[in-house]
Every structure is written in structure tokens, then in C-alpha cells.
Amino acid sequence: MTQTEAIRDGPGLFSTPLSCGGGYLGHGGSGFGYVIRAATTVDGRRTITVSTHSRSADPQTAARQEDSLRDLIDHALCRTT
């Protein structure tokens, strides 16, 4: 199962697995020129909000940006120190 297949959604929140185990609840949005993601570990011990200034019209660039955002969130929430 890929990470994208493992993502589940509910009342406006998405549950996504973390590479270090467990998962996080999050939600995001985008508009002209920006993308934002908010995520909190299920136990509530770590939270991150990421905002970036671009949303490419090119599907490949947009997919790379989404992958980078997921990687950044995963890294921040899995950090041990």
C-alpha cells in the first residue's frame, strides 16, 4: 500500500501515516499563489503548519510540491529532539 492509498479522510481531517510509526491528522488548502497544510500527531504532542507561496498549474510540478510538503511534515513530526 502506498502512502497515498493509506490516507483516510473524515469530517475535514485526513489521517496520514508517518514514516516513524503512528500517524497525523491534518487539513490543507490552497488558493491563487499559496498552499497551506496543518498537521498534528494523533497524541497531540507535535503540531506543524506549513505555508508556501506557489501552486503550479503544471501537474508534475504541483505533485512534486505536494510530495515535498508531505516529506517536510513527516520529518517535523517524526523528529526525536
Side-chain angles (χ1 to χ4, degrees):
M1 178 179 339
T2 68
Q3 182 176 13
T4 303
E5 292 169 337
I7 296 172
R8 299 175 306 160
D9 68 322
L13 294 175
F14 292 85
S15 174
T16 304
L18 289 167
S19 64
C20 57
Y24 68 87
L25 301 174
H27 187 82
S30 63
F32 185 72
Y34 75 93
V35 176
I36 189 166
R37 297 288 179 269
T40 301
T41 55
V42 176
D43 64 8
R45 297 183 79 193
R46 291 185 180 267
T47 299
I48 183 172
T49 302
V50 180
S51 180
T52 184
H53 66 81
S54 175
R55 177 75 183 187
S56 177
D58 172 52
Q60 291 177 330
T61 302
R64 283 193 307 270
Q65 184 179 40
E66 289 294 330
D67 290 344
S68 294
L69 287 170
R70 267 194 303 276
D71 289 346
L72 177 62
I73 290 169
D74 188 84
H75 179 73
L77 297 180
C78 285
R79 192 174 147 189
T80 59
T81 60

PDB file of all heavy atoms in Angstrom, residues 24-44:
ATOM      1  N   TYR A  24      -0.681  11.173  11.641  1.00  0.00           N
ATOM      2  CA  TYR A  24      -1.089  12.522  11.996  1.00  0.00           C
ATOM      3  C   TYR A  24      -2.430  12.840  11.367  1.00  0.00           C
ATOM      4  O   TYR A  24      -2.848  12.236  10.390  1.00  0.00           O
ATOM      5  CB  TYR A  24      -0.038  13.560  11.596  1.00  0.00           C
ATOM      6  CG  TYR A  24       0.176  13.768  10.117  1.00  0.00           C
ATOM      7  CD1 TYR A  24      -0.600  14.677   9.397  1.00  0.00           C
ATOM      8  CD2 TYR A  24       1.187  13.100   9.442  1.00  0.00           C
ATOM      9  CE1 TYR A  24      -0.377  14.892   8.042  1.00  0.00           C
ATOM     10  CE2 TYR A  24       1.410  13.308   8.094  1.00  0.00           C
ATOM     11  CZ  TYR A  24       0.620  14.208   7.397  1.00  0.00           C
ATOM     12  OH  TYR A  24       0.840  14.417   6.053  1.00  0.00           O
ATOM     13  N   LEU A  25      -3.119  13.799  11.981  1.00  0.00           N
ATOM     14  CA  LEU A  25      -4.365  14.328  11.460  1.00  0.00           C
ATOM     15  C   LEU A  25      -4.062  15.691  10.877  1.00  0.00           C
ATOM     16  O   LEU A  25      -3.335  16.483  11.479  1.00  0.00           O
ATOM     17  CB  LEU A  25      -5.407  14.459  12.576  1.00  0.00           C
ATOM     18  CG  LEU A  25      -5.758  13.173  13.288  1.00  0.00           C
ATOM     19  CD1 LEU A  25      -6.690  13.457  14.459  1.00  0.00           C
ATOM     20  CD2 LEU A  25      -6.394  12.180  12.328  1.00  0.00           C
ATOM     21  N   GLY A  26      -4.601  15.961   9.710  1.00  0.00           N
ATOM     22  CA  GLY A  26      -4.292  17.241   9.088  1.00  0.00           C
ATOM     23  C   GLY A  26      -5.342  17.696   8.106  1.00  0.00           C
ATOM     24  O   GLY A  26      -6.289  16.976   7.784  1.00  0.00           O
ATOM     25  N   HIS A  27      -5.154  18.905   7.667  1.00  0.00           N
ATOM     26  CA  HIS A  27      -6.034  19.504   6.669  1.00  0.00           C
ATOM     27  C   HIS A  27      -5.223  20.571   5.946  1.00  0.00           C
ATOM     28  O   HIS A  27      -4.300  21.142   6.499  1.00  0.00           O
ATOM     29  CB  HIS A  27      -7.260  20.133   7.332  1.00  0.00           C
ATOM     30  CG  HIS A  27      -8.265  20.616   6.343  1.00  0.00           C
ATOM     31  ND1 HIS A  27      -9.175  19.766   5.752  1.00  0.00           N
ATOM     32  CD2 HIS A  27      -8.485  21.832   5.814  1.00  0.00           C
ATOM     33  CE1 HIS A  27      -9.935  20.457   4.911  1.00  0.00           C
ATOM     34  NE2 HIS A  27      -9.536  21.714   4.928  1.00  0.00           N
ATOM     35  N   GLY A  28      -5.582  20.827   4.741  1.00  0.00           N
ATOM     36  CA  GLY A  28      -4.875  21.840   3.969  1.00  0.00           C
ATOM     37  C   GLY A  28      -5.802  22.558   3.030  1.00  0.00           C
ATOM     38  O   GLY A  28      -6.983  22.237   2.915  1.00  0.00           O
ATOM     39  N   GLY A  29      -5.237  23.508   2.369  1.00  0.00           N
ATOM     40  CA  GLY A  29      -5.994  24.262   1.393  1.00  0.00           C
ATOM     41  C   GLY A  29      -5.044  24.986   0.463  1.00  0.00           C
ATOM     42  O   GLY A  29      -3.834  25.011   0.677  1.00  0.00           O
ATOM     43  N   SER A  30      -5.610  25.548  -0.561  1.00  0.00           N
ATOM     44  CA  SER A  30      -4.795  26.316  -1.496  1.00  0.00           C
ATOM     45  C   SER A  30      -5.672  27.346  -2.182  1.00  0.00           C
ATOM     46  O   SER A  30      -6.895  27.249  -2.192  1.00  0.00           O
ATOM     47  CB  SER A  30      -4.143  25.406  -2.542  1.00  0.00           C
ATOM     48  OG  SER A  30      -5.141  24.768  -3.317  1.00  0.00           O
ATOM     49  N   GLY A  31      -5.023  28.311  -2.712  1.00  0.00           N
ATOM     50  CA  GLY A  31      -5.683  29.361  -3.468  1.00  0.00           C
ATOM     51  C   GLY A  31      -4.691  29.887  -4.481  1.00  0.00           C
ATOM     52  O   GLY A  31      -3.621  29.314  -4.666  1.00  0.00           O
ATOM     53  N   PHE A  32      -5.028  30.970  -5.112  1.00  0.00           N
ATOM     54  CA  PHE A  32      -4.142  31.538  -6.107  1.00  0.00           C
ATOM     55  C   PHE A  32      -2.843  31.982  -5.453  1.00  0.00           C
ATOM     56  O   PHE A  32      -2.818  32.919  -4.670  1.00  0.00           O
ATOM     57  CB  PHE A  32      -4.813  32.713  -6.809  1.00  0.00           C
ATOM     58  CG  PHE A  32      -3.997  33.260  -7.937  1.00  0.00           C
ATOM     59  CD1 PHE A  32      -3.862  32.544  -9.112  1.00  0.00           C
ATOM     60  CD2 PHE A  32      -3.344  34.466  -7.806  1.00  0.00           C
ATOM     61  CE1 PHE A  32      -3.097  33.032 -10.153  1.00  0.00           C
ATOM     62  CE2 PHE A  32      -2.577  34.964  -8.844  1.00  0.00           C
ATOM     63  CZ  PHE A  32      -2.453  34.243 -10.016  1.00  0.00           C
ATOM     64  N   GLY A  33      -1.760  31.240  -5.703  1.00  0.00           N
ATOM     65  CA  GLY A  33      -0.440  31.627  -5.233  1.00  0.00           C
ATOM     66  C   GLY A  33      -0.015  31.075  -3.893  1.00  0.00           C
ATOM     67  O   GLY A  33       1.054  31.412  -3.405  1.00  0.00           O
ATOM     68  N   TYR A  34      -0.830  30.239  -3.242  1.00  0.00           N
ATOM     69  CA  TYR A  34      -0.393  29.710  -1.956  1.00  0.00           C
ATOM     70  C   TYR A  34      -0.928  28.302  -1.720  1.00  0.00           C
ATOM     71  O   TYR A  34      -1.917  27.886  -2.298  1.00  0.00           O
ATOM     72  CB  TYR A  34      -0.824  30.608  -0.791  1.00  0.00           C
ATOM     73  CG  TYR A  34      -2.296  30.492  -0.476  1.00  0.00           C
ATOM     74  CD1 TYR A  34      -2.749  29.586   0.486  1.00  0.00           C
ATOM     75  CD2 TYR A  34      -3.237  31.257  -1.151  1.00  0.00           C
ATOM     76  CE1 TYR A  34      -4.097  29.459   0.771  1.00  0.00           C
ATOM     77  CE2 TYR A  34      -4.581  31.132  -0.866  1.00  0.00           C
ATOM     78  CZ  TYR A  34      -5.016  30.238   0.094  1.00  0.00           C
ATOM     79  OH  TYR A  34      -6.338  30.108   0.369  1.00  0.00           O
ATOM     80  N   VAL A  35      -0.242  27.578  -0.829  1.00  0.00           N
ATOM     81  CA  VAL A  35      -0.661  26.256  -0.360  1.00  0.00           C
ATOM     82  C   VAL A  35      -0.386  26.243   1.133  1.00  0.00           C
ATOM     83  O   VAL A  35       0.660  26.729   1.584  1.00  0.00           O
ATOM     84  CB  VAL A  35       0.149  25.125  -1.040  1.00  0.00           C
ATOM     85  CG1 VAL A  35      -0.237  23.773  -0.471  1.00  0.00           C
ATOM     86  CG2 VAL A  35      -0.039  25.139  -2.536  1.00  0.00           C
ATOM     87  N   ILE A  36      -1.296  25.695   1.920  1.00  0.00           N
ATOM     88  CA  ILE A  36      -1.106  25.600   3.361  1.00  0.00           C
ATOM     89  C   ILE A  36      -1.490  24.206   3.834  1.00  0.00           C
ATOM     90  O   ILE A  36      -2.410  23.592   3.292  1.00  0.00           O
ATOM     91  CB  ILE A  36      -1.909  26.679   4.123  1.00  0.00           C
ATOM     92  CG1 ILE A  36      -1.512  26.698   5.594  1.00  0.00           C
ATOM     93  CG2 ILE A  36      -3.394  26.486   3.937  1.00  0.00           C
ATOM     94  CD1 ILE A  36      -1.990  27.918   6.339  1.00  0.00           C
ATOM     95  N   ARG A  37      -0.745  23.689   4.799  1.00  0.00           N
ATOM     96  CA  ARG A  37      -1.028  22.389   5.410  1.00  0.00           C
ATOM     97  C   ARG A  37      -0.858  22.539   6.919  1.00  0.00           C
ATOM     98  O   ARG A  37       0.104  23.159   7.380  1.00  0.00           O
ATOM     99  CB  ARG A  37      -0.065  21.300   4.917  1.00  0.00           C
ATOM    100  CG  ARG A  37      -0.137  20.997   3.449  1.00  0.00           C
ATOM    101  CD  ARG A  37      -1.425  20.254   3.092  1.00  0.00           C
ATOM    102  NE  ARG A  37      -1.487  19.980   1.673  1.00  0.00           N
ATOM    103  CZ  ARG A  37      -2.052  20.784   0.769  1.00  0.00           C
ATOM    104  NH1 ARG A  37      -2.583  21.922   1.135  1.00  0.00           N
ATOM    105  NH2 ARG A  37      -2.077  20.435  -0.495  1.00  0.00           N
ATOM    106  N   ALA A  38      -1.766  21.964   7.675  1.00  0.00           N
ATOM    107  CA  ALA A  38      -1.664  21.900   9.131  1.00  0.00           C
ATOM    108  C   ALA A  38      -1.743  20.429   9.527  1.00  0.00           C
ATOM    109  O   ALA A  38      -2.525  19.677   8.946  1.00  0.00           O
ATOM    110  CB  ALA A  38      -2.788  22.687   9.780  1.00  0.00           C
ATOM    111  N   ALA A  39      -0.922  20.023  10.483  1.00  0.00           N
ATOM    112  CA  ALA A  39      -0.888  18.619  10.880  1.00  0.00           C
ATOM    113  C   ALA A  39      -0.547  18.514  12.365  1.00  0.00           C
ATOM    114  O   ALA A  39       0.254  19.284  12.884  1.00  0.00           O
ATOM    115  CB  ALA A  39       0.152  17.862  10.064  1.00  0.00           C
ATOM    116  N   THR A  40      -1.167  17.527  13.025  1.00  0.00           N
ATOM    117  CA  THR A  40      -0.935  17.250  14.439  1.00  0.00           C
ATOM    118  C   THR A  40      -0.859  15.752  14.637  1.00  0.00           C
ATOM    119  O   THR A  40      -1.693  15.009  14.103  1.00  0.00           O
ATOM    120  CB  THR A  40      -2.083  17.814  15.307  1.00  0.00           C
ATOM    121  OG1 THR A  40      -2.180  19.215  15.098  1.00  0.00           O
ATOM    122  CG2 THR A  40      -1.852  17.548  16.774  1.00  0.00           C
ATOM    123  N   THR A  41       0.136  15.304  15.402  1.00  0.00           N
ATOM    124  CA  THR A  41       0.209  13.876  15.693  1.00  0.00           C
ATOM    125  C   THR A  41      -1.058  13.469  16.440  1.00  0.00           C
ATOM    126  O   THR A  41      -1.690  14.289  17.118  1.00  0.00           O
ATOM    127  CB  THR A  41       1.455  13.536  16.546  1.00  0.00           C
ATOM    128  OG1 THR A  41       1.451  14.341  17.728  1.00  0.00           O
ATOM    129  CG2 THR A  41       2.734  13.743  15.766  1.00  0.00           C
ATOM    130  N   VAL A  42      -1.423  12.203  16.310  1.00  0.00           N
ATOM    131  CA  VAL A  42      -2.649  11.702  16.913  1.00  0.00           C
ATOM    132  C   VAL A  42      -2.647  11.912  18.430  1.00  0.00           C
ATOM    133  O   VAL A  42      -3.681  12.210  19.019  1.00  0.00           O
ATOM    134  CB  VAL A  42      -2.865  10.209  16.547  1.00  0.00           C
ATOM    135  CG1 VAL A  42      -4.080   9.641  17.233  1.00  0.00           C
ATOM    136  CG2 VAL A  42      -2.996  10.062  15.039  1.00  0.00           C
ATOM    137  N   ASP A  43      -1.466  11.830  19.056  1.00  0.00           N
ATOM    138  CA  ASP A  43      -1.396  12.035  20.505  1.00  0.00           C
ATOM    139  C   ASP A  43      -1.345  13.517  20.887  1.00  0.00           C
ATOM    140  O   ASP A  43      -1.345  13.864  22.061  1.00  0.00           O
ATOM    141  CB  ASP A  43      -0.200  11.293  21.113  1.00  0.00           C
ATOM    142  CG  ASP A  43       1.150  11.814  20.627  1.00  0.00           C
ATOM    143  OD1 ASP A  43       1.211  12.857  19.935  1.00  0.00           O
ATOM    144  OD2 ASP A  43       2.164  11.156  20.937  1.00  0.00           O
ATOM    145  N   GLY A  44      -1.300  14.407  19.908  1.00  0.00           N
ATOM    146  CA  GLY A  44      -1.319  15.844  20.159  1.00  0.00           C
ATOM    147  C   GLY A  44      -0.006  16.439  20.652  1.00  0.00           C
ATOM    148  O   GLY A  44       0.053  17.610  20.998  1.00  0.00           O
TER     149      GLY A  44
END
